[in-house]
Amino acid sequence: MDYLDDLNESQKQAVINTEGPSLVIAGAGAGKTRVLTYRIVHLLHKEVPAGKILALTFTNKAAKEMKERITRIVSPEIARYLWMGTFHSIFSKILRMDGEKLGYKSNYTIYDSSDSKSLIRSIIRELNLDDNVYKPGVISSRISASKNNLVTSSMYASDVSMQDYDRSSRMPLLADIYKMYAARCFKANAMDFDDLLLNTNILFRDFPDILVKYQQKFIYVLVDEYQDTNYSQYLIVKKLASSHHNICVVGDDAQSIYSFRGARIENILEFKNDYADYQLFKLEQNYRSTQMIVNAANTIIANNEGQIRKNVYSMNEAGEKIQVMQAMTDSEEGFNVSSDIFDKKLSQQLNWSDFAILYRTNAQSRIFEETLRRKNIPYKIYGGLSFYERKEIKDILSYFRMVINPEDEEALKRSINYPKRGIGDTTISKIFELAATFNVTPWSILNEARKYPEHFNLGTAKKLTGYCEVINNLRLNSDTEDAFKKAREIALGSGIMKELKEGRLPEEVSRYENLEELLNAIKVFTESAETNGEPSTLEAYMANVALLTDQDTENDEDRNKVTLMTMHSAKGLEFKHVYIVGMEDTLFPSPMSSGSARELEEERRLFYVAVTRAEKQATFSYALNRYKWGNLERCSPSRFLREIDQKFLHYPQTGGKPFQNNNFPQKEKPSSLREESKPYSRDDRFKKMTSTNNNSDVPFTGSDSSLFIEGDIVEHERFGKGMITSIEGQPPNTTATVEFDNNGSKKLLLRFAKLRKV
């Protein structure tokens, strides 16, 4: 058991105590991946069959790294049988084996977010609705939130509170859209990401024998990043572990930052209530950052009430204090940060990839992109357009999808007239209208186009039949031939390779090169799958591609560049030098969090995550003035700056002393917001979607816009006293412009603003 020598005592205890429920709380940089990996290795050394172990992660990258580590310690022949992967990849595998009980075929397509929004747009057009009111992105988010709370389309339609909310949002037909969306996905033999979780829950609920099968199969269940699980994931994990109770969850409540995706911090905070006989292990030694960074981060998170307390420490070098940079304008902030990166890179002989700029919202990247370009500093936007979202890649993937599942409506729409076949939008609309009329799939209509002479003339019918012949020919042997051979055959047979090869413009050449790179990736997949004894078919490849995340698609040529990303995207990553910019009260914490202690605590956890990405040095930056909607507005430094013990901060512009001006907020006693924090409960899993904030302990109100009129003198808990100069919009999106005595003009969303009349 030499592998145990690589662990400190806390890690070792978390690894060897494998029986019963275990909660491993791991501070930032404390080696949680190592513990999870070695715990699996330890189970294998105890001769637990690999096929009896289920390990769930949030990225394919994490699962791959863990499996590679395990393979280096135990033989590859053993490791290959582990059930290890993301929630979505594992549950999609279960649904491919047992989804027929829900009416799905095993070759179902997984719709990505663009497929989902495309289908929603089609439904909005079919219902003759205004897409400026029924915005596809908003509707997609509502449907996603519903599914993650296990609310099906029929349940949604019968929920009175949901209907009331939709009417107040001027979208009374949202339930109809949800119902049509669910029906169209089912007819197309397709599931979106949220369906993979929802349908697994339904499968386990409605077919107890299937649940028992997987309960007996998985004797040990391990979950990474448990604080990021949503209600749907939580229920599946709880059901799977309810038989043997050998569940180990690893995570850090201090890094729970994805509530907007449905993540529930109470899943990890209330683990002790779900499993009364649980063991608690705390990993508190940070191996990543300097002592200065770790100590500063501790003083940040100490302000949160809702947490599992731990004392994170570092044995690394002491390190430098955190720089706090002040700029007069947002443009100057960009210049300061870019110059500092340039100077450090040269003076310390670093790589560009050693630097990251983190911001609260994507819109903040523009200033930094401009200043980095002026200095010829290479950079990349993390989470931008991924390789698999490029047009030429989505075009060829749509053919792959048609070969696997010809009932896939979205793939059909994308591929039917590319390369051009003279099949126009009017013809495509007729195909879908006929499919709806006869309650069949569009593919069925295409295959029998000659039977509808009143809708398709002879020339059009011939074109449609020609498309069907292309797809049907490409489908031959698709379930047995390896992915690379079939992919190359499709690229040639579809005409896409010829189409791209004839291009002479630089961007056209680039598209052809991207197609070549895709085929290279498929070749690697094929060889890897064959080596590991896994299916190497095109269907297996597409199942893998559909579940890739941003972290799984980074290109080698992007590596030595300064990284620009949101703080949310930075979780799980690390850099030698981290710049956290836009540290202003109007940006961070987000103004949307001002009315809720729970939301403010999540913003503080986000700050904690951002700071702990830094290995050697962290820098905070803010501007005293920032352009908003074309107007230069005065800004105040973030309240988070005053929450950090000042002994860990350095202010270079003022000789090391804090800025002495009215803009820098002084440390204050905990506000009533701190007092508002209460233990989180699961009473009403759907309440978050429908209710406005209710903070009875705080004498500020904001849920009813009718309480205020223009000319009212009001008080805000952070901005002080002011007068309402204008009120705009309809509930629940009514905004008030307030001229504050000491903080200038602010535009506030009333349902979050928590104003009170003076």
Side-chain angles (χ1 to χ4, degrees):
M1 296 189 184
D2 294 343
Y3 58 89
L4 294 178
D5 296 338
D6 296 336
L7 306 172
N8 64 36
E9 187 57 32
S10 297
Q11 292 172 333
K12 183 178 179 180
Q13 291 304 313
V15 164
I16 64 176
N17 289 282
T18 58
E19 305 307 301
S22 298
L23 171 60
V24 181
I25 295 297
K32 70 174 180 60
T33 304
R34 170 172 290 191
V35 165
L36 203 55
T37 302
Y38 281 31
R39 189 177 173 103
I40 294 171
V41 169
H42 193 64
L43 288 170
L44 294 173
H45 271 276
K46 289 172 65 177
E47 299 186 349
V48 175
K52 296 288 186 181
I53 300 171
L54 171 64
L56 297 166
T57 67
F58 273 85
T59 66
N60 292 295
K61 181 180 178 183
K64 182 181 177 182
E65 289 177 355
M66 285 171 57
K67 200 161 191 177
E68 286 175 350
R69 289 190 193 183
I70 293 168
T71 301
R72 286 196 292 268
I73 302 174
V74 302
S75 68
E77 289 73 21
I78 294 176
R80 63 185 274 193
Y81 292 106
L82 289 167
W83 277 62
M84 178 180 290
T86 64
F87 282 88
H88 291 92
S89 66
I90 294 295
F91 299 155
S92 71
K93 188 175 179 180
I94 289 173
L95 289 168
R96 290 197 189 279
M97 292 190 294
D98 293 296
E100 79 278 355
K101 292 187 176 296
L102 301 179
Y104 289 92
K105 300 173 186 174
S106 63
N107 64 337
Y108 67 81
T109 298
I110 300 174
Y111 278 177
D112 62 18
S113 58
S114 63
D115 293 321
S116 297
K117 288 176 184 175
S118 175
L119 178 54
I120 289 170
R121 287 190 195 94
S122 298
I123 294 170
I124 291 170
R125 283 196 297 270
E126 291 166 18
L127 293 175
N128 295 315
L129 299 174
D130 184 353
D131 59 7
N132 288 318
V133 177
Y134 289 87
K135 296 180 179 178
V138 173
I139 292 172
S140 177
S141 295
R142 292 277 289 166
I143 292 174
S144 175
S146 300
K147 289 181 178 181
N148 285 328
N149 284 284
L150 305 186
V151 178
T152 63
S153 59
S154 57
M155 293 167 64
Y156 189 101
S158 62
D159 190 301
V160 176
S161 64
M162 284 286 89
Q163 306 316 305
D164 290 343
Y165 185 87
D166 290 342
R167 279 191 288 272
S168 70
S169 302
R170 299 191 300 141
M171 293 189 294
L173 296 181
L174 200 152
D176 294 338
I177 296 173
Y178 184 7
K179 188 174 182 179
M180 289 180 66
Y181 174 79
R184 291 278 282 275
C185 284
F186 185 76
K187 184 190 285 189
N189 192 33
M191 300 187 204
D192 61 26
F193 284 174
D194 301 310
D195 284 327
L196 298 175
L197 304 179
L198 174 63
N199 286 331
T200 302
N201 268 296
I202 293 173
L203 181 68
F204 288 168
R205 181 196 68 191
D206 294 350
F207 298 92
D209 57 320
I210 299 295
L211 174 59
V212 170
K213 179 176 84 170
Y214 288 104
Q215 286 175 335
Q216 295 306 314
K217 180 174 182 59
F218 303 129
I219 299 177
Y220 293 90
V221 178
L222 302 93
V223 185
D224 191 16
E225 304 287 9
Y226 191 63
Q227 77 282 347
D228 293 337
T229 53
N230 60 29
Y231 182 71
S232 187
Q233 291 163 327
Y234 159 81
L235 271 189
I236 296 171
V237 169
K238 190 174 182 182
K239 287 176 182 176
L240 288 174
S242 63
S243 178
H244 294 285
H245 284 252
N246 293 321
I247 178 172
C248 174
V249 302
V250 182
D252 183 7
D253 55 288
Q255 297 185 65
S256 178
I257 59 173
Y258 294 125
S259 67
F260 65 95
R261 294 181 186 168
R264 295 156 49 89
I265 191 174
E266 52 266 53
N267 290 351
I268 196 166
L269 294 181
E270 297 183 6
F271 185 85
K272 60 185 179 183
N273 298 332
D274 290 332
Y275 305 95
D277 57 338
Y278 85 113
Q279 298 180 84
L280 175 64
F281 304 96
K282 293 184 179 181
L283 309 182
E284 298 174 306
Q285 183 176 352
N286 180 301
Y287 289 90
R288 175 191 302 150
S289 307
T290 65
Q291 296 178 37
M292 192 71 66
I293 291 169
V294 170
N295 291 339
N298 285 342
T299 66
I300 293 168
I301 205 64
N303 290 275
N304 273 10
E305 294 294 331
Q307 64 172 297
I308 299 171
R309 300 284 175 180
K310 56 186 175 298
N311 179 35
V312 181
Y313 64 94
S314 171
M315 299 294 287
N316 296 337
E317 61 185 298
E320 300 177 23
K321 289 186 177 183
I322 295 174
Q323 284 191 99
V324 182
M325 299 169 62
Q326 174 185 278
M328 290 305 297
T329 64
D330 46 1
S331 296
E332 185 182 313
E333 180 186 33
F335 176 81
N336 290 347
V337 170
S338 300
S339 297
D340 201 55
I341 290 173
F342 189 85
D343 293 342
K344 280 191 172 72
K345 199 266 185 186
L346 292 180
S347 63
Q348 300 179 29
Q349 297 182 328
L350 300 168
N351 296 316
W352 295 121
S353 56
D354 292 328
F355 299 91
I357 301 173
L358 310 184
Y359 35 75
R360 181 62 181 82
T361 64
N362 278 308
Q364 292 171 253
S365 73
R366 181 189 62 83
I367 290 291
F368 301 98
E369 289 187 70
E370 290 177 359
T371 54
L372 289 169
R373 276 200 298 265
R374 289 194 196 107
K375 291 184 174 294
N376 292 318
I377 297 175
Y379 68 89
K380 63 179 178 181
I381 304 290
Y382 194 92
L385 186 66
S386 79
F387 178 79
Y388 292 96
E389 290 175 332
R390 294 168 184 170
K391 179 186 180 301
E392 61 275 14
I393 301 303
K394 290 189 76 70
D395 286 337
I396 189 68
L397 292 183
S398 70
Y399 272 91
F400 293 178
R401 285 164 53 174
M402 286 300 295
V403 165
I404 296 165
N405 173 24
E407 295 170 338
D408 184 338
E409 291 187 9
E410 293 306 307
L412 187 151
K413 283 191 285 189
R414 190 171 193 107
S415 61
I416 192 170
N417 197 39
Y418 180 78
K420 290 190 180 298
R421 297 184 174 87
I423 302 173
D425 291 341
T426 302
T427 299
I428 296 171
S429 295
K430 285 181 182 177
I431 294 168
F432 279 82
E433 287 170 8
L434 285 169
T437 300
F438 295 104
N439 194 28
V440 295
T441 64
W443 178 246
S444 299
I445 299 296
L446 283 175
N447 275 286
E448 300 179 341
R450 297 184 191 278
K451 291 185 178 181
Y452 305 97
E454 67 277 18
H455 295 285
F456 309 121
N457 61 38
L458 192 60
T460 300
K462 186 177 180 180
K463 293 170 185 174
L464 298 179
T465 303
Y467 168 72
C468 287
E469 288 175 353
V470 169
I471 298 299
N472 284 324
N473 286 335
L474 294 173
R475 295 192 72 206
L476 295 173
N477 302 321
S478 62
D479 56 344
T480 56
E481 205 164 58
D482 78 52
F484 177 72
K485 289 180 181 176
K486 180 53 66 174
R488 198 170 190 284
E489 180 188 337
I490 294 171
L492 289 166
S494 65
I496 288 180
M497 184 176 284
K498 181 175 183 291
E499 173 94 359
L500 295 178
K501 192 172 185 178
E502 291 175 349
R504 290 292 176 265
L505 296 174
E507 60 270 23
E508 292 172 331
V509 173
S510 177
R511 292 190 190 111
Y512 183 73
E513 291 171 346
N514 286 336
L515 177 59
E516 179 187 18
E517 181 60 29
L518 176 68
L519 292 175
N520 291 340
I522 297 173
K523 182 65 173 177
V524 171
F525 167 82
T526 302
E527 292 175 347
S528 174
E530 289 172 347
T531 300
N532 293 321
E534 297 169 353
S536 62
T537 61
L538 188 65
E539 182 176 338
Y541 172 75
M542 287 301 293
N544 178 64
V545 166
L547 298 165
L548 291 178
T549 64
D550 285 342
Q551 290 190 27
D552 302 317
T553 57
E554 184 179 23
N555 295 322
D556 288 338
E557 64 266 24
D558 286 339
R559 294 199 185 278
N560 193 25
K561 297 180 180 179
V562 175
T563 301
L564 277 65
M565 63 170 67
T566 64
M567 299 178 204
H568 283 99
S569 298
K571 187 170 177 293
L573 303 176
E574 54 189 45
F575 304 89
K576 287 183 180 178
H577 294 265
V578 170
Y579 294 79
I580 302 172
V581 300
M583 290 291 299
E584 299 143 33
D585 267 344
T586 51
L587 280 176
F588 189 48
S590 167
M592 301 295 281
S593 69
S594 63
S596 164
R598 177 174 179 146
E599 291 173 2
L600 183 62
E601 289 205 348
E602 176 150 334
E603 289 287 291
R604 192 176 286 114
R605 291 195 295 271
L606 182 58
F607 186 31
Y608 175 84
V609 166
V611 172
T612 54
R613 298 312 92 198
E615 297 175 17
K616 299 295 184 183
Q617 190 173 46
T619 300
F620 303 151
S621 173
Y622 69 91
L624 295 176
N625 301 278
R626 186 175 294 273
Y627 275 100
K628 296 180 181 177
W629 301 105
N631 297 316
L632 192 64
E633 293 189 5
R634 191 78 169 159
C635 304
S636 298
S638 170
R639 62 178 293 161
F640 290 156
L641 288 176
R642 69 175 176 266
E643 293 181 352
I644 304 178
D645 192 319
Q646 298 297 296
K647 68 184 179 184
F648 301 124
L649 304 181
H650 172 61
Y651 302 82
Q653 286 106 323
T654 58
K657 297 181 180 179
F659 297 119
Q660 298 298 315
N661 60 42
N662 294 330
N663 292 296
F664 192 76
Q666 298 303 307
K667 183 98 170 176
E668 63 183 30
K669 293 180 180 179
S671 69
S672 54
L673 279 174
R674 289 277 306 279
E675 295 165 8
E676 182 204 3
S677 290
K678 298 180 178 66
Y680 302 137
S681 67
R682 293 194 180 94
D683 296 349
D684 185 357
R685 67 179 188 272
F686 211 52
K687 182 165 56 180
K688 176 103 174 156
M689 294 175 57
T690 59
S691 64
T692 53
N693 294 312
N694 178 18
N695 297 279
S696 58
D697 295 338
V698 184
F700 293 84
T701 59
S703 58
D704 188 355
S705 58
S706 64
L707 295 174
F708 304 100
I709 60 173
E710 293 180 9
D712 275 349
I713 304 299
V714 295
E715 185 177 8
H716 186 274
E717 55 190 337
R718 193 158 75 242
F719 302 135
K721 292 182 180 179
M723 183 177 75
I724 296 178
T725 57
S726 68
I727 293 180
E728 303 171 32
Q730 299 296 319
N733 299 314
T734 305
T735 61
T737 300
V738 184
E739 191 70 32
F740 289 101
D741 295 346
N742 298 318
N743 284 285
S745 180
K746 306 287 182 186
K747 195 168 187 176
L748 306 173
L749 193 62
L750 281 176
R751 63 190 170 116
F752 293 114
K754 294 208 169 292
L755 298 171
R756 67 177 177 190
K757 291 186 180 182
V758 177

